Amino acid sequence: MIGASMLLWTIVVYMAMRKLYARFYFPLLVPIATSTVVIIITLSLFHLSYEQYMVGGKWLVHLLGPAVVALALPLYQHRYTLKKFLWPLLCSTFFGTIIGIGSGLLLARLFHLPEQVVRSIIPKSVTSPVAMDIATLIGGIPTLAAVYVMVAGIFGAMFGPTIFQRLRLNTALGIGSGLGAASHGIGTAKALEMGKKEAAISSVAMTLSAIFASLLCPLLLLL
């Protein structure tokens, strides 16, 4: 019973936060951030554990796979655009991955964080399953890496459009590669709000970023 209740509550909260975001279009009100806050407050008020929540929440996790597969549609629809901009996309994603890894590493060193935390924050800009595998490989904490991934994704979705606007960046290639490389799946969902072409480019950038990060993370730790 509690599983069905948590699943239904999550869906209701998310739909309500989407309506709120549509009415008051403000970066801090991005649905995935506000929904997370509301659900955390609910769990705290009713003294429910994460394990109890995931009895129903796990079904949403199972839908991540089909959601990613569904991105194949905009990829197919804009395959010629992707082929045309293949090299710019490869280069931008490669340097975006380096900046994502390097910024996390530098900030962690700057604040003298424990070594295991440093190794967990490095893969923050790639999708969760890959980030957790990388964290395990380099001696980090997989679950902590997943938290940093979520934070990076939410911040990208919240502030990415504002940054693009300030920089006068309005091309599908720039927006898609930026969101995909920096904010993985959450960024790609945000890119889909902006257009199918942006979403297609973002999904490719997300995949390339995961590949580049898998190769670069172990190397950067040796420097």
Side-chain angles (χ1 to χ4, degrees), residues 37-66:
V37 172
V38 171
I39 290 171
I40 289 174
I41 292 173
T42 302
L43 295 180
S44 299
L45 287 175
F46 290 94
H47 304 289
L48 296 171
S49 67
Y50 174 76
E51 288 73 19
Q52 288 175 301
Y53 170 76
M54 284 306 293
V55 172
K58 67 181 180 182
W59 297 107
L60 293 175
V61 175
H62 292 327
L63 291 174
L64 286 175

